[in-house]
């Protein structure tokens, strides 16, 4: 039997639906003998490329989402509180992720969950690099080295390359779960991802 | 026990996701002792109101949808072929629906399924009023009376009022399934609708 490919999970740290899905995708992957490749990117970059209007410009959709995210979290019994500032820039968190991934992939994966929890359950301002450094340091990362990395051109270029890859591959929203080359958009598609994992595709 | 409220199903006849969902919502309603109130409306009206970009302006999302709709139909084993012209105007079909609903609600409900099938399984141009008349006549409707109704101001006003209601209630996309006042957007949310119907809400 061919080796099972990893599940790619593309997200922006500021997406509440990505938060709701991230909390489950790791378990789902493990259950089906797959690993997860975490791919934080910047939604703003693909929105611009794709001509998508941000939610702040779509009041009806934004009102729906406000209600829906809370309903979704209640159903899954996931802690959720709207951040004081939303949406918010996520460059620092995403750059930190890619630096951590190079150092220690397991820690980087945990970092995803802790950052999401900080933003959407504890109202911590993860757009502030100091918050990102606090989180990573508490998890055992080298604060000074990470602080330097956040301003390092190589790390910035890595995130730029990831965003360019998102555009190239047509990843127009988040979360985007990719299994065997198949893209599934949204936290509400995890049932279909599971169907794919169980059936091997159709 | 309080009487169960009907399930409202808001859609545009040109939405393939509405087609995929319509094929299932009637069964789901019956299973849970509910009726369906069919509410065809014009997506263009709410897109304009909400500032949403049509898919033709969002190439990455459109490419995803092209693939996803076919995949969705395969999974559910529903006949699906992209119409020769897409998207297309659906005023005639929607107006016909509301006239039929007044005459014969059961026939009107069947009309929804037959029009969807004509468009998405048989590539018939339902933007043409003659096609709509052919379909309705074959189902037993009075062709001449319906032809007159399509140009009747009262029927046109009914569709306008429904579109205004969609805007008023924040129905920004299709399909929108409404159960007990809760809106669920998308064919991919039927699992959540079912969860709501089974649990009575959360």
């Amino acid at each position: 039997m061919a080796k099972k490919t990893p599940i790619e999970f593309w997200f922006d740290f500021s997406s509440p639906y990505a938060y709701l899905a991230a909390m489950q995708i790791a378990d789902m992957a493990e259950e089906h003998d797959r690993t997860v490749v975490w791919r934080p990117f910047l939604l703003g970059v693909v929105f611009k490329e794709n001509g998508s209007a941000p939610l702040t410009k779509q009041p009806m959709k934004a009102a729906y989402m406000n209600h829906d995210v809370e309903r979704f979290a209640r159903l899954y019994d996931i802690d959720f509180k709207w951040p004081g500032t939303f949406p918010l820039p996520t460059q620092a968190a995403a750059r930190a992720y890619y630096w951590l991934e190079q150092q220690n992939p397991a820690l980087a994966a945990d970092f995803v969950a802790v950052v999401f929890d900080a933003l959407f359950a504890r109202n911590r301002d993860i757009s502030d690099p100091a918050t990102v450094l606090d989180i990573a340091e508490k998890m055992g990362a080298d604060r000074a080295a990470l602080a330097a990395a956040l301003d390092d051109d190589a790390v910035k270029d890595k995130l730029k390359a990831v965003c360019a890859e998102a555009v190239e591959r047509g990843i127009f929203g988040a979360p985007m779960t990719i299994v065997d080359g198949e893209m599934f958009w949204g936290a509400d598609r995890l049932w279909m991802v599971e169907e794919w994992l169980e059936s091997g595709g159709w």
Side-chain angles (χ1 to χ4, degrees), chain A:
Chain A
M1 196 172 150
K3 194 172 175 324
K4 288 180 177 174
T5 54
I7 296 174
E8 294 176 54
F9 186 77
W10 290 72
F11 64 99
D12 186 310
F13 278 108
S14 79
S15 162
Y17 289 115
Y19 164 65
L20 296 173
M23 302 289 103
Q24 299 167 75
I25 197 71
D27 289 344
M28 201 183 282
E30 198 181 340
E31 205 174 300
H32 293 89
D33 208 16
R34 308 250 190 168
T35 54
V36 177
V37 175
W38 304 97
R39 278 295 168 264
F41 71 109
L42 305 178
L43 268 180
V45 173
V46 298
F47 278 6
K48 200 174 159 189
E49 188 71 26
N50 189 42
S52 312
L55 267 182
T56 45
K57 302 270 183 201
Q58 301 180 69
M60 290 162 73
K61 202 168 187 174
Y64 174 82
M65 197 184 86
N66 276 344
H67 176 74
D68 180 53
V69 166
E70 295 175 10
R71 173 175 68 184
F72 217 123
R74 281 200 310 277
L75 177 61
Y76 284 159
D77 203 17
I78 295 172
D79 277 349
F80 180 82
K81 255 196 324 233
W82 286 103
T85 306
F86 179 80
L88 75 181
T90 56
Q91 276 86 341
R95 284 178 193 149
Y97 173 82
Y98 288 110
W99 183 79
L100 290 168
E101 190 189 53
Q102 277 198 317
Q103 314 291 315
N104 182 339
L107 189 148
D110 290 343
F111 176 79
V112 170
V114 176
V115 170
F116 266 138
D117 181 74
L119 177 60
F120 288 116
R122 297 163 199 279
N123 193 18
R124 294 186 64 189
D125 178 9
I126 63 138
S127 68
D128 182 349
T131 306
V132 170
L133 293 174
D134 288 348
I135 290 171
E137 184 180 22
K138 202 169 165 190
M139 296 180 72
D142 180 332
R143 184 183 186 108
L146 177 55
L150 293 185
D151 278 323
D152 183 342
D153 280 344
V155 175
K156 291 180 179 177
D157 287 348
K158 169 68 183 177
L159 180 57
K160 278 183 201 159
V162 168
C163 293
E165 186 187 343
V167 169
E168 173 68 28
R169 293 175 67 185
I171 297 167
F172 60 88
M176 190 70 82
T177 305
I178 309 182
V179 187
D180 304 336
E182 290 285 316
M183 302 202 299
F184 298 92
W185 176 44
D188 42 13
R189 281 299 181 96
L190 290 188
W191 63 273
M192 199 182 258
V193 171
E194 184 134 48
E195 187 85 31
W196 188 276
L197 290 168
E198 270 166 22
S199 68
W202 61 86

